[in-house]
Amino acid sequence: MSRSWIAVASANHVRIGRAAGFMQVCHGKAAPLKRSAPGDRVIYYSPTETFGGKDRLQAFTAIGVIEETAAYQVETHPGFRPWRRDVAWWPAMETPIRPLLGRLSFTSDRAGWGYRLRFGLFEIDNEDAELIAEAMFAEPLVHAARTQTTVPMQGSLAF
């Protein structure tokens, strides 16, 4: 059975990954990505617009399904080789989390609702994932999984 995950990154980093068809979490660490599997759903939450910024966003910014390719490393600049997974991103609207706080099981502690988001990647139940997808007006795409590893683009941004 497929699982559902919340990944956390700034919106500008999520948009880079969405445009290029990949996900990256926890500053490029491999272990969190290796817990996920092809066919799993991933939803990005972005606390801010920019990495390290004070520009609070607190929104779900992308949703999709992990592709058949395994996690892989790319060299984004000398000495930094983050791990990534390919994702088939669905058309969806960026959606604020606040209207959903009382309805999502992982935010049931209203006072400390952001605590789990500090982990960078964590599993959620499929009911929560469906609720978020509905709020984002997400439309799953029927697609053929990619069979080749994505080649990193020169000059791609690292996160």
Side-chain angles (χ1 to χ4, degrees), residues 1-8 23 25-26 29-42 66 70-71 83-85 116 118-124:
M1 174 184 267
S2 296
R3 301 181 320 184
S4 295
W5 303 88
I6 295 289
V8 181
M23 68 178 287
V25 296
C26 304
K29 292 181 181 156
L33 287 180
K34 291 180 178 180
R35 292 193 324 251
S36 63
D40 286 356
R41 179 172 25 197
V42 62
I66 296 172
W83 287 84
R84 295 179 174 171
R85 287 207 77 152
R116 288 190 64 197
R118 293 186 174 106
F119 294 106
L121 182 71
F122 62 94
E123 189 172 358
I124 62 170

Side-chain angles (χ1 to χ4, degrees), residues 62-119:
I63 184 171
V65 173
I66 296 172
E67 297 271 20
E68 291 293 326
T69 54
Y72 57 91
Q73 271 187 299
V74 296
E75 185 162 359
T76 58
H77 62 270
F80 184 55
R81 294 180 40 88
W83 287 84
R84 295 179 174 171
R85 287 207 77 152
D86 290 336
V87 176
W89 296 110
W90 301 345
M93 294 177 50
E94 294 184 0
T95 303
I97 193 173
R98 289 215 176 264
L100 301 174
L101 290 180
R103 300 170 61 196
L104 298 168
S105 64
F106 70 91
T107 63
S108 60
D109 175 12
R110 298 263 315 182
W113 66 265
Y115 178 74
R116 288 190 64 197
L117 297 167
R118 293 186 174 106
F119 294 106

